Amino acid sequence: MQVARHVVCALSGGVDSAVAALLLRRRGYQVTGVFMKNWDSLDEHGVCTADRDCEDAYRVCQILDIPFHQVSYVKEYWNDVFSDFLSEYEKGRTPNPDIVCNKHIKFSCFFHYAVDNLAVKLLQAADSFKDQTFFLSQVSQDALRRTLFPLGGLTKDFVKKIAAENRLHHVLQKKESMGICFVGKRNFENFILQYLQPRPGKFISIEDNRVLGTHKGWFLYTLGQRARIGGLREPWYVVEKDGTKGDVFVAPRTDHPALYRDLLRTSRVHWIAEEPPAALVRDKMMECHFRFRHQMALVPCVLTLNQDGTVWVTAVKAVRALAPGQFAVFYKGDECLGSGKILRLGPSAYLLQKGKSKPRVSTEGPSDGPGSGPGLGPTL
């Protein structure tokens, strides 16, 4: 008995999704192309840039002779992704909307649309070159079992070669989509201040408490980034933030010890396998690797499991620019285990060198009381 193989392919209007649909069709799947509209630019410029992408996606379906559908999740994207994005910045955290978007839009709204309306069977696969596991680390097991990644193992050059050989020239030269998920590249400060009220504050030296300049809002800065302070020749970098007073603490040099930490605590971890690894449950500790930015080198670490499902992450070596709000994504070998949002940080190497027991800044997160974490206690 042969099972009918129907798949839905999300078409963005770019070359990757176009070739993905082509490869699925070549492999015998009955493919339906769907374009998702998740952001309405009319509110900002009076022109909806998604229209061109939709037209390109439609042309792909015409060329490949597959059905075309269009869905809109503008309201859902605003409520579940963008509002959370603004809220995280307002709290002074550094969010990652691509992970949240995959969780709530692509693998929830779109997934249920496909199953309910198109009776699509989605299968799981892997991409070993242009790895997307970081961004998929919050997606449910149920959705991943029904997901297929047809570009797995292919280089970008080979993807473009396939597109050129199959008359998909109109998407061949398009630039990679960058910036905020579905919103795109913007002047970050101007964009955020359209939605959040400015909260002026001071740039303060972490070394001697000198006021070096002013800013429009502490939530506009993430740990590790360069703070562009007028009148200063040398670069200074954000090392801590005080949300109560609105101050941003900065340090000279990109390798200043105030930028390095080796301890963090996450929110309740989303495990891809739905349950924590057996070794972690058995021993309450487990060696693995993690990253908190896409494509950064994996960092060896030790996880300590807490009763509420959160974990302490102790890095073997101090890591630069850990940022609350980002996701710590865990790996064991080639397998992505899952991820948890970074809520609390341990003291920086600078504070440890100075012998200070009370760090300067508060970060939001679950509290266990003094000395409850592995090794040194967290930043409280």
Side-chain angles (χ1 to χ4, degrees):
M1 178 177 180
Q2 185 175 355
V3 178
R5 299 185 296 175
H6 294 82
V7 296
V8 168
C9 185
L11 294 177
S12 65
V15 64
D16 285 340
S17 61
V19 172
L22 170 67
L23 294 179
L24 287 168
R25 192 170 180 275
R26 281 185 172 179
R27 294 172 186 176
Y29 291 94
Q30 298 178 28
V31 181
T32 296
V34 179
F35 178 81
M36 287 187 290
K37 181 181 178 182
N38 299 308
W39 182 258
D40 189 353
S41 299
L42 287 172
D43 292 338
E44 298 175 69
H45 308 294
V47 178
C48 185
T49 55
D51 290 343
R52 173 61 187 276
D53 291 330
C54 184
E55 291 175 5
D56 288 337
Y58 177 68
R59 285 186 62 196
V60 169
C61 290
Q62 285 185 311
I63 293 170
L64 300 182
D65 193 25
I66 61 176
F68 173 77
H69 291 248
Q70 182 178 358
V71 294
S72 175
Y73 297 120
V74 173
K75 180 179 178 181
E76 291 84 354
Y77 181 83
W78 182 278
N79 291 337
D80 295 331
V81 181
F82 194 66
S83 293
D84 174 75
F85 172 79
L86 295 177
S87 176
E88 289 289 284
Y89 268 108
E90 199 165 29
K91 294 173 183 175
R93 298 174 180 168
T94 306
N96 193 310
D98 296 85
I99 289 178
V100 181
C101 178
N102 273 325
K103 179 178 183 179
H104 291 293
I105 305 301
K106 296 178 185 175
F107 289 86
S108 181
C109 295
F110 179 74
F111 168 74
H112 290 296
Y113 168 82
V115 171
D116 294 341
N117 296 286
L118 300 175
V120 175
K121 183 179 181 181
L122 304 173
L123 305 175
Q124 184 180 14
D127 186 334
S128 60
F129 178 75
K130 196 177 178 183
D131 181 48
Q132 295 293 301
T133 55
F134 180 84
F135 297 114
L136 297 169
S137 61
Q138 285 277 309
V139 176
S140 72
Q141 173 70 203
D142 187 48
L144 288 175
R145 288 198 188 106
R146 295 164 172 81
T147 303
L148 186 68
F149 299 98
L151 302 186
L154 300 183
T155 65
K156 187 73 174 189
D157 287 342
F158 195 68
V159 168
K160 290 184 175 182
K161 181 176 182 292
I162 295 173
E165 291 173 348
N166 290 273
R167 299 183 295 120
L168 298 171
H169 301 282
H170 68 291
V171 295
L172 187 58
Q173 301 302 326
K174 294 186 73 170
K175 293 182 179 180
E176 295 278 355
S177 58
M178 304 293 288
I180 303 168
C181 181
F182 281 114
V183 177
K185 296 189 74 172
R186 307 292 171 97
N187 179 296
F188 179 75
E189 181 173 309
N190 294 340
F191 178 68
I192 291 297
L193 290 179
Q194 291 182 51
Y195 300 94
L196 299 179
Q197 290 295 321
R199 297 182 185 178
K202 300 184 291 293
F203 286 114
I204 299 177
S205 168
I206 193 74
E207 296 185 334
D208 56 16
N209 288 321
R210 280 186 300 134
V211 176
L212 303 176
T214 60
H215 58 79
K216 295 180 181 179
W218 67 294
F219 53 81
L220 294 170
Y221 298 91
T222 188
L223 302 189
Q225 81 172 85
R226 181 174 177 177
R228 301 192 179 277
I229 306 172
L232 298 182
R233 292 183 179 180
E234 300 299 322
W236 288 68
Y237 297 87
V238 176
V239 295
E240 291 182 1
K241 300 186 293 183
D242 187 335
T244 303
K245 296 181 179 179
D247 293 331
V248 175
F249 294 89
V250 293
R253 306 192 321 274
T254 186
D255 60 348
H256 193 281
L259 287 164
Y260 289 83
R261 305 171 190 263
D262 62 4
L263 180 64
L264 65 91
R265 183 169 179 166
T266 72
S267 63
R268 184 179 182 87
V269 175
H270 170 83
W271 300 105
I272 297 295
E274 298 182 336
E275 297 293 337
L280 183 58
V281 174
R282 182 184 67 245
D283 302 329
K284 304 303 179 186
M285 300 180 71
M286 183 184 75
E287 294 182 356
C288 65
H289 291 76
F290 84 104
R291 60 165 54 107
F292 62 96
R293 290 192 307 269
H294 183 224
Q295 294 185 334
M296 71 173 285
L298 288 171
V299 178
C301 67
V302 176
L303 302 186
T304 303
L305 182 64
N306 301 309
Q307 289 185 348
D308 60 359
T310 66
V311 298
W312 288 103
V313 183
T314 305
V316 172
K317 292 179 61 177
V319 182
R320 186 185 185 278
L322 289 169
Q326 284 282 16
F327 285 80
V329 182
F330 308 115
Y331 294 83
K332 192 76 170 179
D334 293 331
E335 180 184 4
C336 177
L337 302 176
S339 64
K341 185 184 294 185
I342 300 173
L343 295 183
R344 303 175 70 182
L345 302 178
S348 70
Y350 179 73
L351 288 176
L352 294 177
Q353 290 172 7
K354 299 287 285 187
K356 296 179 181 179
S357 59
K358 293 185 178 180
R360 193 187 303 266
V361 179
S362 297
T363 54
E364 184 179 337
S367 177
D368 293 320
S372 60
L376 294 168
T379 299
L380 299 174

